[in-house]
Amino acid sequence: ERDAGGAAAPDPQAGSQAEYRIELLLRALARHGAPCVLALDEVERLRSPEAASAINALLHRGPDNLHVGMAFREQPPGLELAMFALEGREAAVTVGDLRFSKADIARFFDGELSRRELDRVVAESAGWPLALRIHRNARRRGEAGGADRTVADWIETRLWRGVAASDRGFALDVALFDGLDPELVDEVRGEAGSGRRIVAMDALAGLLSTAGGGMRAIRLHPLVREYCEARRFREDPERYRAVHRGIALALARRGRAVEALRHAAEAGDGELLGRIAEDTGGVRLWLERGLEALCALDGRLTAELVWAHPRLALVRCVALTCAGEIAEARRVYGAAAAETASFTRDRADGDDRALRSEHVFVQGLLHMCGCDPYDEGMMAAILDVQAAALEAAETDPLLSGMFSVGICIAHNQRAAFDEAVAWAGRARAALGGRSPYLAHVDFQLGSVAMARGRADEAGACYGRALETARASHLRDAGAVIVGEALSAELALERSAGAPRVRGPAVSPRVLGECAAWFDVYAASLGVAAELALLRGGSGAALALVEDAREYARRTGRTALARFLAALRASVLAEGGEIGEAGRAWRFERLPEGAGECTDLDAQSWREAEMLSCARLRLLTAEGAFDAARELAAALHAAAAERGAVRMGMRGLALAAVLEHRAGEDGRARAHVAEYLRLYGETDYAWPLARERGAVVPLLQDIAGDRKADATVRAAAGGLRDAMADGADATQTWPLNGGEMEVLALLEWHSDKEIAETLKLSHDGVRSRLRRIFAALGARGRYDAVHRARAQGLLPSAEDAPPAKS
């Protein structure tokens, strides 16, 4: 008997029934002629020699139109594939090849995922096609738990099939580890050979990734790990807690305390969690690992742990302070002080010396970030910090270095600039050449140089600090924001025309979350008020100052509230509301005498500068010229005594305006001439440029006076020309082009409509909105529109497009 091609038909009695059927199949395929594909899944489950022989027959005797695809976790014995590889007729696809890339995943979801959603799916799926299908199906059905149920069904029916109970228990245990480090797994489980056992489990083949890091970097697929964790807890909660407890202890012994904390929390062992948390170094963890690590630690602490461990109460104080929650930080600090006899006695078996040292550090941090008034009490605290710093220097250079930074800040605020520079040097020596906290040393050196009128030196210090902050492994965004605020102040001080600085400055709330100190608030809000006056007039400036004052009062920042009260009176006077400015000054009980305003022993130099300049502006506006002259003279003397050149230059500019208003142009020219001598050394143009209406004629007189000093005459002409050139310069708006697009649609359109109009994702719109609110200091979308109109960023309400019908 022959087939249609003339070949003899297979003999049903020859060989096995399997061979007979394979032969029939092969002949049928040959007759068919068109390409055919045979797909075989889970081939590793083939253990029968007869089955392997049957597949080999298909592979070796199949016609050219037959293509075979096989999926297996390991090649079963007896399967003959080597010859295909040698002949180049094999195409091997590994697990890595099958994983979807981030771009593949975005296309798989038809571009529907936001950037944040895409990142989450990439992390949770690890590019695993089955996981992606589960995610997409659950998303389209709107089922929050659909993915969990599908994974559970798949694991129960496919992953665990044929797995021994001991291997299953082993897999449930190792799923509790962050990474499957064989040595760690061996130590916790009390058994050897975990690494070999992990890679030998057929059920886990394809579900493990080493991320290029060898055995220590093995990771179980996230969805499988999540399922196994849940099942271990459900079936044997005591085993679940025991394994986590063992992992926590093992990691703590390895010095990986932050990782250990999570496992101690999962174990529900509060005593272990507290012990490990203290062993991390408490407050010192912030200095070593950054704010993120400290907040991760604080997030694990219950109220019971905090009150049972005073050093952990200090950790919470730091976390709250750095979040801007000064009032709550002070409450926690006060409660801990009462329980420890003012931080002299730690808990039983605690470390009294560590508690005292960390308490002094936190006390200084609260003083600094809380913008407490500078008084004798603060000076006593500074002396305490000095003593603690000297004591700590013997054993802890890092803590000593940070103490020295704090003392440097205190001396800088009281205009003791030489002492501040000396303590900055001590801090640099203690911290070493690679510390990220050198940024804060340079911030202080830059601030001192700025106050002394050394603009180039200040700019170099700020630039160096920002470079350190941006390159720091701590990724301290707060330090970058602080540096940008101080740099903006310096840029404003050197401006003769429209200031080329980004503004307004960030909101006080954001500065609070950056652990900013008084100088940073004063610099940032001073720049913001100046820019608001330029772009939106006194109304815009008052709105900004009022918002900042509300924040200062609400958070208990009394020195900042006083500073802002003086700034508000200054803005009122500049806007022509003289009577209101005087009433505000008296209502806030701000100092009226020259001695009080300029007293650098009772307040910081920035407070003295703001109070004196605001009072001088108010007295001049009221026509109280004799009192104004007395104050101007006292301000000049105080600035000269301490070397506070910027303060002196601001006083000279206002003194020139005073004499001009009083009709004493000779005296006014003398003040301007003295200012110009300093201007040649400092490049500080803004204090005089902002008073251009009164001083431009004086500059013209000096520039044309051949009897005047040549240097002064040249400076007068140069500054006059710079002020004229900059008067109509294009302003630098606080928002970029993309943010302006969103702002233009904000009043009459929803976020969804803005996204559709601008072809943005919803998250993209929200991100731009956050930047708009921060730049304008706004509390919401309508407040942002109001502020933008006040600054000229949007047309007036009359010119705005009508609301949608």
Side-chain angles (χ1 to χ4, degrees):
E1 184 178 346
R2 296 182 179 275
D3 62 18
D11 182 358
Q13 304 302 318
S16 67
Q17 283 293 315
E19 291 175 349
Y20 170 72
R21 292 179 179 179
I22 288 172
E23 191 65 29
L24 286 176
L25 176 61
L26 293 176
R27 286 176 175 272
L29 289 171
R31 286 196 304 271
H32 181 64
C36 298
V37 176
L38 175 63
L40 302 174
D41 193 13
E42 295 186 308
V43 177
E44 73 276 3
R45 298 187 183 276
L46 289 178
R47 299 303 181 190
S48 164
E50 291 78 10
S53 176
I55 293 178
N56 287 334
L58 286 171
L59 294 174
H60 292 286
R61 292 158 48 196
D64 292 340
N65 64 320
L66 174 62
H67 306 277
V68 180
M70 290 186 287
F72 49 78
R73 298 169 186 268
E74 63 174 4
Q75 183 174 326
L79 203 59
E80 300 170 359
L81 301 178
M83 186 57 65
F84 293 96
L86 292 174
E87 294 174 354
R89 294 194 292 142
E90 175 191 78
V93 182
T94 67
V95 170
D97 297 326
L98 291 173
R99 294 189 190 280
F100 277 36
S101 67
K102 189 172 185 178
D104 295 332
I105 295 171
R107 288 193 295 273
F108 184 71
F109 280 84
D110 300 323
E112 297 174 354
L113 299 180
S114 67
R115 182 176 302 175
R116 182 177 300 175
E117 289 173 329
L118 178 59
D119 289 340
R120 179 179 60 81
V121 172
V122 169
E124 292 180 359
S125 70
W128 188 25
L130 175 64
L132 292 171
R133 174 68 70 177
I134 291 169
H135 275 290
R136 191 171 73 172
N137 291 347
R139 176 185 175 88
R140 290 181 174 176
R141 291 194 301 265
E143 296 178 2
D148 294 338
R149 290 194 298 273
T150 305
V151 170
D153 292 344
W154 184 85
I155 291 176
E156 293 296 338
T157 59
R158 302 288 295 278
L159 184 64
W160 290 143
R161 190 170 64 191
V163 175
S166 60
D167 282 345
R168 187 178 302 186
F170 172 76
L172 295 178
D173 276 354
V174 299
L176 305 183
F177 291 75
D178 294 324
L180 307 186
D181 179 345
E183 292 181 6
L184 184 64
V185 176
D186 284 349
E187 180 179 343
V188 173
R189 298 188 80 251
E191 299 177 3
S194 295
R196 292 189 298 275
R197 189 172 181 182
I198 290 168
V199 299
M201 286 184 64
D202 293 345
L204 297 181
L207 301 177
L208 299 174
S209 169
T210 60
M215 287 293 292
R216 290 180 181 273
I218 290 178
R219 295 288 187 274
L220 193 61
H221 190 282
L223 287 179
V224 176
R225 179 185 173 190
E226 182 179 343
Y227 165 84
C228 292
E229 283 186 291
R231 178 162 178 167
R232 172 54 83 199
F233 181 79
R234 185 174 64 251
E235 292 183 349
D236 191 346
E238 185 51 44
R239 177 65 179 174
Y240 175 91
R241 288 188 284 269
V243 172
H244 274 299
R245 189 179 299 109
I247 297 172
L249 289 168
L251 289 174
R253 285 192 291 269
R254 287 164 166 76
R256 294 159 60 183
V258 175
E259 299 168 70
L261 288 170
R262 185 185 78 80
H263 292 282
E266 291 290 344
D269 191 332
E271 181 180 350
L272 176 62
L273 181 62
R275 187 167 74 249
I276 293 175
E278 280 192 339
D279 289 344
T280 63
V283 170
R284 201 179 192 283
L285 178 67
W286 177 37
L287 304 180
E288 289 183 336
R289 300 282 296 275
L291 184 58
E292 185 177 346
L294 182 95
C295 290
L297 167 57
D298 180 62
R300 303 286 181 191
L301 302 179
T302 63
E304 292 77 13
L305 277 174
V306 167
W307 301 130
H309 299 76
R311 291 177 62 201
L312 299 185
L314 293 176
V315 168
R316 177 144 296 173
C317 284
V318 173
L320 289 167
T321 300
C322 292
E325 301 293 337
I326 297 296
E328 180 62 14
R330 284 178 170 144
R331 187 189 69 78
V332 174
Y333 179 85
E339 293 293 322
T340 58
S342 297
F343 297 101
T344 60
R345 185 179 63 251
D346 197 7
R347 65 178 180 85
D349 300 324
D351 188 334
D352 293 347
R353 180 174 178 178
L355 177 65
R356 285 196 301 271
S357 179
E358 291 173 13
H359 136 255
V360 174
F361 182 84
V362 173
Q363 181 187 43
L365 187 69
L366 282 169
H367 270 297
M368 183 181 73
C369 296
C371 301
D372 286 339
Y374 181 86
D375 53 22
E376 292 182 1
M378 178 174 274
M379 193 61 216
I382 291 170
L383 294 175
D384 287 343
V385 171
Q386 284 180 320
L390 293 174
E391 179 184 353
E394 300 176 2
T395 58
D396 196 337
L398 176 59
L399 202 58
S400 175
M402 293 307 295
F403 278 144
S404 298
V405 171
I407 298 168
C408 174
I409 293 173
H411 284 303
N412 181 5
Q413 287 186 341
R414 63 189 287 265
F417 297 130
D418 288 336
E419 290 91 336
V421 171
W423 277 99
R426 296 183 190 184
R428 190 181 297 279
L431 293 171
R434 296 187 177 182
S435 171
Y437 297 106
L438 291 178
H440 291 274
V441 176
D442 282 321
F443 286 147
Q444 293 310 307
L445 290 173
S447 178
V448 167
M450 184 277 301
R452 285 174 153 176
R454 302 170 185 174
D456 290 338
E457 181 183 337
C461 290
Y462 289 156
R464 193 164 58 238
L466 279 168
E467 183 178 355
T468 301
R470 289 172 178 143
S472 167
H473 72 281
L474 298 179
R475 300 295 182 203
D476 190 349
V480 174
I481 291 173
V482 165
E484 289 175 346
L486 295 173
S487 297
E489 180 188 42
L490 180 63
L492 174 65
E493 212 66 24
R494 304 178 81 169
S495 299
R500 300 191 179 278
V501 295
R502 182 178 174 89
V506 294
S507 70
R509 178 187 59 78
V510 173
L511 292 176
E513 293 172 359
C514 296
W517 54 99
F518 180 83
D519 291 345
V520 181
Y521 285 104
S524 180
L525 294 169
V527 170
E530 294 283 14
L531 295 179
L533 279 167
L534 278 174
R535 297 168 180 169
S538 60
L542 282 172
L544 184 147
V545 173
E546 285 293 354
D547 280 353
R549 287 181 70 213
E550 189 277 330
Y551 168 83
R553 289 194 294 262
R554 177 170 50 81
T555 59
R557 290 173 165 84
T558 52
L560 179 60
R562 185 169 181 257
F563 174 92
L564 290 168
L567 177 58
R568 178 175 180 271
S570 179
V571 172
L572 285 167
E574 194 159 7
E577 299 183 53
I578 313 303
E580 181 60 27
R583 285 190 292 273
W585 195 277
R586 291 187 294 274
F587 179 79
E588 297 290 345
R589 298 182 179 179
L590 298 175
E592 298 186 2
E596 289 180 280
C597 288
T598 60
D599 188 354
L600 289 171
D601 290 325
Q603 60 196 348
S604 71
W605 70 262
R606 285 186 181 272
E607 289 178 273
E609 180 186 82
M610 176 54 69
L611 286 165
S612 299
C613 290
R615 184 66 178 165
L616 192 50
R617 190 180 301 281
L618 177 58
L619 291 171
T620 300
E622 292 175 336
F625 299 132
D626 288 340
R629 289 188 182 103
E630 180 186 357
L631 177 54
L635 179 59
H636 184 273
E641 179 187 358
R642 299 294 181 96
V645 174
R646 189 187 90 153
M647 181 193 295
M649 293 180 74
R650 291 192 170 199
L652 285 170
L654 290 170
V657 174
L658 153 66
E659 299 299 351
H660 175 71
R661 297 272 178 86
E664 298 287 347
D665 280 355
R667 291 182 177 181
R669 279 194 298 272
H671 289 313
V672 172
E674 187 173 358
Y675 183 101
L676 291 171
R677 280 189 286 271
L678 293 170
Y679 169 68
E681 301 170 2
T682 65
D683 197 30
Y684 286 172
W686 183 248
L688 203 65
R690 77 185 307 280
E691 314 295 342
R692 68 180 71 245
V695 303
V696 167
L698 301 173
L699 289 173
Q700 290 173 338
D701 288 348
I702 294 172
D705 186 358
R706 295 186 176 278
K707 295 181 181 180
D709 180 84
T711 303
V712 172
R713 192 167 67 246
L719 186 53
R720 176 201 61 198
D721 294 342
M723 289 164 62
D725 292 341
D728 298 322
T730 301
Q731 295 176 345
T732 301
W733 299 118
L735 307 175
N736 62 32
E739 293 158 2
M740 287 294 293
E741 289 178 339
V742 172
L743 179 63
L745 300 172
L746 192 56
E747 186 170 15
W748 305 115
H749 297 81
S750 67
D751 291 354
K752 182 179 180 181
E753 291 168 336
I754 294 174
E756 292 172 351
T757 301
L758 300 179
K759 302 297 189 292
L760 296 171
S761 69
H762 184 265
D763 279 359
V765 173
R766 296 302 303 168
S767 176
R768 293 186 186 189
L769 280 177
R770 284 193 293 271
R771 293 197 295 271
I772 289 169
F773 294 162
L776 299 179
R779 289 169 290 190
R781 58 198 305 124
Y782 296 112
D783 187 31
V785 170
H786 171 74
R787 290 169 183 272
R789 285 207 173 109
Q791 296 184 42
L793 294 171
L794 287 178
S796 65
E798 292 77 12
D799 299 329
K804 298 181 300 178
S805 60

